[in-house]
Amino acid sequence: MVLAWVVIMYIGQAAKDLVCWPRPASPPVVRLEKRYEEEYGMPSTHAMIAIAFPWSLIVSTAARYDYPLVPAIICAILWCSLICTSRLYLGMHSVLDVIVGLVFSALLIGGALPLFDAIDQLQLTHPWSPYASFFIGLLLCLAYPTLQKWNTARGDTTIIVGVAAGVSVGSWLAFQHGMLVDPHQPRPYPVVWPTALQHGLSLIRMGVGIVIIWATRAVFKVLTFNLASRLWGFDPHDRATKKKIQVELPHKYLTYYAIAFNVIYVCPTVFRYLGVSRDVTFTEL
């Protein structure tokens, strides 16, 4: 799922800054979402992920778990429809932006999905995988198209790639330490609903996990921003410094790389130490 997410979002965001197609004019459109109005609109990355996420989920789990397929497809269609229509309602995209996003994503995910199992196996088992994941992610951020004007797309894409790299390295380390368990049972696996005790343990894990994630973000956000700013001779107190690529890229990449790594590897390790870890049977490999 993370592979599908990063492929779709990286290509979609880069396409926006290459095409440079503006969002619908306001007026006459009333934009109800302000954060992304500086970004370009073609294609709609919300539409791209709206079709890629449920499709990838269904394709990767239909033969693995025992669940009714028709309700899953109906939910996927509803999910996709709600997200796409919400982008029109919020005034952030035209109908053409959404249609192109859906078609573009369907083509991308259709071509990439058959490769994901092999890539996943490679990144879990190859001894060079953690180094490749980190540096390939960094190179992808550096290769992002040059912005004609600053917007949030580059920073958001850097965050996504950083998360994907952190997940990859954390998963590799968890696999090497035997934390990812193959159930060694014939598929499809039954969907086991959590008990009251498991619900309680999940709340404890959530509380501990939030503390770890919050602490990681707080430390890395300040540390990476100040180090990058001073390394390149920028004033860390100047608001414009946050928009400098020399600062924005390492600041966001390293911060969210660390957060993702801690979510995938450090948090489960802490949960095991505390005796509140979840049963990974039927879930991981």
Side-chain angles (χ1 to χ4, degrees):
M1 294 305 300
V2 174
L3 279 172
W5 177 54
V6 73
V7 167
I8 291 298
M9 289 303 295
Y10 184 87
I11 295 176
Q13 293 283 65
K16 281 185 179 182
D17 285 313
L18 288 172
V19 175
C20 299
W21 193 314
R23 294 191 183 277
S26 177
V29 168
V30 178
R31 291 181 187 162
L32 301 180
E33 187 177 48
K34 302 299 182 182
R35 184 182 187 278
Y36 300 107
E37 60 182 1
E38 294 297 325
E39 291 185 15
Y40 295 108
M42 172 67 78
S44 167
T45 47
H46 279 81
M48 291 179 72
I49 208 68
I51 190 173
F53 182 82
W55 176 248
S56 301
L57 185 63
I58 290 173
V59 169
S60 60
T61 60
R64 180 179 178 82
Y65 295 102
D66 184 13
Y67 65 85
L69 190 58
V70 172
I73 293 174
I74 292 173
C75 288
I77 294 172
L78 289 174
W79 164 279
C80 183
S81 301
L82 286 171
I83 291 180
C84 290
T85 53
S86 73
R87 303 312 289 167
L88 301 176
Y89 174 78
L90 291 170
M92 301 305 290
H93 289 289
S94 66
V95 174
L96 185 59
D97 295 340
V98 171
I99 292 174
V100 170
L102 290 172
V103 174
F104 191 23
S105 181
L107 293 173
L108 284 174
I109 209 67
L113 266 177
L115 305 174
F116 284 167
D117 281 344
I119 294 172
D120 192 47
Q121 185 67 19
L122 184 66
Q123 74 175 18
L124 286 176
T125 57
H126 198 281
W128 289 96
S129 172
Y131 309 104
S133 297
F134 181 85
F135 287 108
I136 289 174
L138 198 57
L139 289 173
L140 285 173
C141 294
L142 289 170
Y144 190 83
T146 302
L147 303 181
Q148 293 188 7
K149 62 176 183 178
W150 185 89
N151 59 57
T152 56
R154 183 180 64 198
D156 289 346
T157 306
T158 301
I159 289 172
I160 291 167
V161 175
V163 168
V167 167
S168 177
V169 175
S171 299
W172 178 87
L173 199 57
F175 180 80
Q176 302 303 315
H177 290 173
M179 295 169 62
L180 301 183
V181 180
D182 189 342
H184 297 296
Q185 295 185 21
R187 299 180 182 183
Y189 308 131
V191 177
V192 181
W193 296 101
T195 63
L197 175 61
Q198 290 169 335
H199 276 300
L201 293 177
S202 71
L203 291 176
I204 296 173
R205 291 195 298 271
M206 183 183 297
V208 174
I210 287 172
V211 171
I212 293 172
I213 293 167
W214 176 85
T216 304
R217 185 176 183 272
V219 171
F220 273 82
K221 187 176 180 180
V222 174
L223 186 63
T224 56
F225 180 74
N226 281 282
L227 282 176
S229 298
R230 298 187 187 283
L231 180 65
W232 292 100
F234 297 121
D235 180 5
H237 302 292
D238 185 353
R239 294 175 64 88
T241 299
K242 291 184 178 181
K243 299 181 180 181
K244 304 291 186 182
I245 187 173
Q246 302 96 318
V247 175
E248 184 180 42
L249 193 155
H251 163 53
K252 292 188 173 180
Y253 184 79
L254 293 175
T255 298
Y256 287 89
Y257 172 91
I259 290 172
F261 177 82
N262 284 354
V263 168
I264 298 298
Y265 182 75
V266 174
C267 286
T269 302
V270 172
F271 298 155
R272 283 189 172 192
Y273 178 78
L274 297 176
V276 298
S277 59
R278 69 186 178 90
D279 184 5
V280 298
T281 306
F282 303 155
T283 61
E284 303 300 348
L285 294 181

